[in-house]
Amino acid sequence: MVRLPFLSSTRGIPEVVEVPRHIAIIMDGNGRWARKRLMPRVAGHAKGVESLRAMIRTCQDLKVEYLTVFAFSSENWRRPKDEVTFLMKLFLRTLKEEIERMHRSNIRLRVVGDISRFDSALVNLIEESETLTAGNTAMNLTIAANYGGRWDILQAVEKMLAASPDAREGFTEDQLAEYLALSFGPEPDLFIRTGGEQRISNFMLWQLAYTELYFTDKLWPEFDEAALKEAIRSYQGRERRFGRTSEQLDAGAGGPDSSDHA
Ligand code: IPE
Ligand code: IPE
Ligand code: MG
């Protein structure tokens, strides 16, 4: 049987820790932030980069092990061409400017998503950045770019079938999960969406199965350290039951798999 490095929340009960090990963020509201200030939407994206920079630092200080941020969805190609072009250039410029500093901070960078649609300068820089930081251990920063939760599941099925044609006859969650783009880390403990919308917008559909969801009206460019700490406090007040009852938790039932299926 395939051994995943981290326990799947539907196959066992992951350890619940005080500071989330993995935070996943939909950084939404850049356009509205700019429009409120009578600026073009893209000015909000530029400002959003500053928020991200601060968030990376704060997460590292708090010893969050994995930070995954949604930068561009597989549906964002539907935006006006100028905005898409701006976002691609911003990604390239930001990565160029930040990668050395991230490397010095011992951060490992990964990009998940179908990057084949990006231009070659960006693809090359992404690959170089991933290689440069591959040995880093302080924090795992993952940027989801041209990423979609459904794309992720489909590409995982394709890779799995290519690797083991027998899987056509049937396969398990664990077998499939091994090929998901985020299989290198645990499922997110905390999901944050800024910008007031309460939806997942095709983010990590598989991995969010038991993640605590947090929505805030704050727009991404104004989401700061205090706002992140508030989200973490909210997370700390949740009871993560993973299908069990409160009474079981009160009685100290921590045992992972006693009642687990198959
Ligand atoms: C999120 O901000 C950034 C991206 C999707 C790239 P938006 O651009 O969606 O901002 P709003 O939601 O229109 O305010
Ligand atoms: C989700 O935000 C994608 C990113 C933040 C990259 P959107 O602004 O694209 O989501 P919808 O369209 O409002 O659902
Ligand atoms: Mg939006």
Side-chain angles (χ1 to χ4, degrees), residues 194-247:
T194 63
E197 313 297 353
Q198 306 203 353
R199 54 179 173 251
I200 305 293
S201 299
N202 198 17
F203 196 26
M204 305 163 65
L205 299 179
W206 179 282
Q207 297 84 352
L208 293 174
Y210 270 105
T211 301
E212 296 301 327
L213 307 180
Y214 180 85
F215 298 93
T216 169
D217 287 337
K218 269 202 168 28
L219 303 172
W220 177 249
E222 53 200 20
F223 191 79
D224 57 9
E225 181 174 339
L228 177 70
K229 287 185 171 161
E230 197 176 315
I232 292 176
R233 266 196 302 280
S234 163
Y235 162 84
Q236 288 166 339
R238 314 277 178 95
E239 183 177 68
R240 303 192 73 188
R241 291 193 286 276
F242 299 101
R244 295 163 299 174
T245 66
S246 289
E247 290 74 13

Side-chain angles (χ1 to χ4, degrees), residues 19-230:
V19 173
R21 294 182 72 188
H22 185 176
I23 299 181
I25 307 182
I26 297 187
M27 310 182 288
D28 195 22
N30 293 346
R32 278 165 286 161
W33 180 89
R35 298 309 299 164
K36 264 183 18 189
R37 286 160 183 78
L38 307 178
M39 296 194 287
R41 290 179 47 84
V42 294
H45 297 317
K47 187 74 180 165
V49 170
E50 290 178 31
S51 269
L52 177 56
R53 199 181 289 123
M55 207 45 50
I56 294 169
R57 209 168 27 233
T58 306
C59 283
Q60 196 172 2
D61 289 347
L62 294 172
K63 306 231 171 340
V64 171
E65 293 171 57
Y66 295 83
L67 172 64
T68 304
V69 295
F70 206 4
F72 191 86
S73 76
S74 41
E75 289 71 43
N76 285 147
W77 298 104
R78 298 169 181 165
R79 294 193 176 197
K81 196 166 175 294
D82 286 357
E83 182 168 340
V84 171
T85 305
F86 181 93
L87 284 166
M88 292 300 147
K89 284 192 179 145
L90 183 65
F91 190 10
L92 184 71
R93 194 174 71 220
T94 306
L95 200 50
K96 259 189 197 150
E97 284 170 5
E98 300 292 327
I99 192 63
E100 282 300 332
R101 193 145 51 101
M102 276 195 240
H103 184 44
R104 281 198 302 278
S105 304
N106 197 16
I107 292 172
R108 177 166 187 176
L109 177 85
R110 292 180 181 87
V111 175
V112 292
D114 181 7
I115 62 168
S116 67
R117 212 172 146 182
F118 295 159
D119 75 37
S120 56
L122 183 53
V123 172
N124 290 341
L125 183 61
I126 289 170
E127 286 170 355
E128 281 165 27
S129 305
E130 289 185 332
T131 306
L132 176 72
T133 62
N136 293 347
T137 52
M139 187 170 79
N140 292 275
L141 171 66
T142 304
I143 298 178
N146 194 19
Y147 174 89
R150 291 186 180 180
W151 165 84
D152 194 7
I153 294 167
L154 288 181
Q155 68 82 32
V157 171
E158 276 175 17
K159 279 193 189 144
M160 180 192 64
L161 290 177
S164 22
D166 289 355
R168 277 175 209 285
E169 307 301 321
F171 55 87
T172 64
E173 274 189 29
D174 290 348
Q175 254 174 301
L176 181 66
E178 194 194 346
Y179 294 96
L180 292 167
L182 285 128
S183 62
F184 56 82
E187 293 168 25
D189 301 293
L190 172 63
F191 159 96
I192 298 171
R193 182 175 187 144
T194 63
E197 313 297 353
Q198 306 203 353
R199 54 179 173 251
I200 305 293
S201 299
N202 198 17
F203 196 26
M204 305 163 65
L205 299 179
W206 179 282
Q207 297 84 352
L208 293 174
Y210 270 105
T211 301
E212 296 301 327
L213 307 180
Y214 180 85
F215 298 93
T216 169
D217 287 337
K218 269 202 168 28
L219 303 172
W220 177 249
E222 53 200 20
F223 191 79
D224 57 9
E225 181 174 339
L228 177 70
K229 287 185 171 161
E230 197 176 315

